[in-house]
Amino acid sequence: MRPELAQSDSPDEVLIREVMSGSERAFRHLYRRHTPRLRVMVLRLVRYDDADADDIVQDTWLACCRGLHTFRGDAQFGTWLTRIGIRAARHRMAHALAEPTSLDPADAAVAATDGPSMDAAIDAERALRRLGDRDRIVFTLHYLEGLSHEEIARELGIATGTSRAILSRALTALRAHYGTEVP
Amino acid sequence: MTDQNEFPRGDAERAWVASLARASAPPPGAEDRAVAALRREGLLGRRRVVAPMLLGIAAALLVFASGAWVGAHVARGGSVEGQLYRDDASLSQRVLVLQRAGSAYIRAMQRVAAVAPPDSIAAEVATQALTGAALAAARAHLDSDLSPRLVSFFEAARRGAATSSSTLIWY
């Protein structure tokens, strides 16, 4: 029987099956579908360093394809890929995650240096960029990727309480930057 | 009381979150580099070509072997030898096998005679087979008195022939 040819609109499950049988075409479809979202998350995790982000994205896809036979479909493929991306980024950001867990007033001070005068889209990203590494990572994973504090704690190897504390600090810094609300 | 960690809180914060980028296009060539890396690891490309080919060869071999086995089985089951060892054959089927075996014996003897002038070994085999058949018929009591008389006749003839011919080991 002729194998099913992957189409750009084929469901993830179909593309995954074909990638497992070695289809480059299916991989390219899967890559184009999921990489933009993966990359923006990774960029936020690695201080917006493009080179690091691209290395991590490639490492993520390699790890993903190596372990594709373990993907059971319990979660969305994009969610599964995101978790792999977080772990890949964690290696690069090990030093940042090893920072002391106590609140660092410097983070809030840095965040409060600029006023909300820029274009909203750029300003929003800049505000995130000005957060400390731990603050930005936890904020991104919790509010933008939807991970719970327990999941963040597991992925980053920190305590659940630490995750909550870091998030509270990040919000305080962002709100201090913009007043009572962001922005 | 308001949860300080509630986010986004209010329209301004919701607008702020909405303005955050949802995607970031990879640089040109990143996709090709990922494909090349996966090819180097053997995760893409090779298996797509090799696996179906191997599967096709395996399927062809399986079909051939199955066909050969079925063919041999059918041929063996239809032969006299195959029919001889059937335990589930009825009496009429067994009589038919006996008839076919006798016909086969006669045809075999005629074919020997057709390709070579009769020699002592051919005569010995023909006589032994006929004598053996007569003996088996007598022991099985398949007829009243014809078989014993035939056996006596052939035994006497064989003893006379044995003095002038080479010995045949009979299985």
Side-chain angles (χ1 to χ4, degrees):
Chain A
M1 189 175 73
R2 189 189 170 104
E4 191 173 1
L5 280 178
Q7 303 296 322
S8 59
D9 59 351
S10 297
D12 283 351
E13 301 77 47
V14 172
L15 296 178
I16 289 166
R17 271 201 305 276
E18 293 194 30
V19 171
M20 287 174 73
S21 64
S23 167
E24 179 185 321
R25 179 192 173 99
F27 172 77
R28 287 183 183 275
H29 287 317
L30 210 55
Y31 183 94
R32 289 168 196 169
R33 184 178 297 170
H34 292 282
T35 297
R37 191 175 180 281
L38 172 69
R39 190 172 186 274
V40 77
M41 178 201 73
V42 171
L43 271 171
R44 287 180 181 129
L45 299 187
V46 296
R47 290 197 201 97
Y48 300 88
D49 184 312
D50 283 305
D52 272 357
D54 291 332
D55 286 347
I56 289 168
V57 167
Q58 173 149 328
D59 290 348
T60 301
W61 278 109
L62 280 171
C64 164
C65 289
R66 286 186 199 119
L68 210 49
H69 61 282
T70 65
F71 176 64
R72 302 283 176 227
D74 299 334
Q76 295 285 319
F77 175 74
T79 305
W80 187 67
L81 187 69
T82 297
R83 300 301 167 90
I84 297 173
I86 293 169
R87 283 167 209 164
R90 185 183 164 187
H91 290 292
R92 301 281 176 128
M93 298 300 289
H95 60 284
L97 294 168
E99 284 175 355
T101 56
S102 59
L103 297 182
D104 182 358
D107 287 339
V110 169
T113 51
D114 289 338
S117 58
M118 293 168 283
D119 173 75
I122 298 172
D123 200 33
E125 212 64 51
R126 282 195 178 175
L128 264 186
R129 194 184 292 235
R130 289 179 183 281
L131 291 177
D133 285 337
R134 291 159 65 90
D135 296 16
R136 189 184 61 255
I137 291 169
V138 172
F139 181 90
T140 298
L141 296 182
H142 187 71
Y143 287 125
L144 305 182
E145 299 301 326
L147 272 67
S148 67
H149 285 295
E150 289 73 22
E151 289 170 324
I152 292 171
R154 194 163 53 244
E155 295 295 342
L156 301 185
I158 58 178
T160 306
T162 303
S163 175
R164 289 182 198 281
I166 291 171
L167 187 69
S168 180
R169 179 176 65 183
L171 273 179
T172 300
L174 285 170
R175 285 170 172 153
H177 175 58
Y178 289 110
T180 54
E181 286 188 342
V182 177
Chain B
M1 184 178 161
T2 307
D3 178 4
Q4 288 303 307
N5 279 358
E6 180 192 338
F7 184 85
R9 192 175 62 194
D11 292 340
E13 288 188 355
R14 274 191 283 277
W16 181 85
V17 171
S19 70
L20 285 168
R22 292 288 181 271
S24 171
E31 180 181 316
D32 290 335
R33 283 194 294 277
V35 168
L38 290 168
R39 279 183 172 278
R40 278 196 299 277
E41 291 207 11
L43 294 167
L44 286 185
R46 268 181 286 174
R47 283 186 297 174
R48 190 178 75 176
V49 175
V50 172
M53 188 184 295
L54 288 178
L55 280 176
I57 291 170
L61 286 174
L62 184 64
V63 168
F64 176 78
S66 302
W69 183 83
V70 169
H73 186 71
V74 169
R76 191 167 54 247
S79 69
V80 172
E81 287 81 2
Q83 294 287 332
L84 281 174
Y85 298 104
R86 276 186 58 190
D87 293 330
D88 58 342
S90 65
L91 175 61
S92 60
Q93 286 172 325
R94 291 175 194 215
V95 171
L96 183 63
V97 171
L98 183 61
Q99 184 185 7
R100 287 179 60 193
S103 300
Y105 167 75
I106 293 167
R107 272 201 303 276
M109 200 163 53
Q110 288 170 339
R111 289 176 70 81
V112 168
V115 297
D119 64 6
S120 58
I121 293 178
E124 174 72 8
V125 169
T127 304
Q128 287 279 14
L130 194 57
T131 305
L135 278 169
R139 285 174 190 146
H141 306 292
L142 287 178
D143 59 22
S144 54
D145 58 352
L146 178 60
S147 295
R149 279 189 281 128
L150 281 174
V151 168
S152 302
F153 172 78
F154 283 118
E155 285 289 344
R158 194 165 62 88
R159 275 196 297 275
T163 57
S164 59
S165 67
S166 59
T167 304
L168 178 74
I169 299 172
W170 186 257
Y171 294 97

